[in-house]
Amino acid sequence: MTTPIMPAWAVEECDADSDETTETVDFYGPSVFPVPTVAMHLVQRSTTRDDLTLYEPAEVVMIPDRPYTYLDAAGLRALALTALDLADQLDNLTYSPTEDPR
């Protein structure tokens, strides 16, 4: 299995998007909870076929734990600060988060 070079990241094989010739893997950064009802983290997908790996651009995933999330001013500020921090991480993230085994 592919190992991310960022030690806090998790790796998940995407069986639904993989087949005999192609391996698709999602990398997930550590979850951040700006408020108790919302999780945010970085995610990046890679696809490998014939020893060639392509990396999609990293993105931020925001996962609320219910259909509607109500925030007061402090919660909204915490969400905004977390979003800005993750945006800075996106700007500085290496495009290929794995070590080249060769």
Side-chain angles (χ1 to χ4, degrees):
M1 172 161 288
T2 309
T3 304
I5 60 174
M6 288 82 71
W9 283 53
V11 181
E12 180 178 293
E13 272 193 64
C14 304
D15 293 332
D17 296 328
S18 298
D19 57 32
E20 297 90 30
T21 61
T22 304
E23 177 190 43
T24 302
V25 176
D26 285 331
F27 298 90
Y28 295 98
S31 293
V32 180
F33 295 89
V35 293
T37 58
V38 176
M40 300 175 78
H41 59 264
L42 299 174
V43 64
Q44 185 176 36
R45 177 168 277 207
S46 73
T47 304
T48 303
R49 176 185 282 176
D50 296 329
D51 293 327
L52 176 66
T53 301
L54 301 175
Y55 296 93
E56 295 181 16
E59 299 174 308
V60 172
V61 176
M62 186 167 72
I63 306 168
D65 72 350
R66 54 184 78 139
Y68 298 99
T69 299
Y70 297 93
L71 301 173
D72 59 12
L76 188 58
R77 284 186 184 92
L79 185 70
L81 289 172
T82 300
L84 289 170
D85 180 56
L86 290 172
D88 289 342
Q89 290 181 48
L90 280 175
D91 286 341
N92 296 310
L93 186 66
T94 179
Y95 199 62
S96 56
T98 57
E99 294 178 303
D100 186 351
R102 289 177 249 167

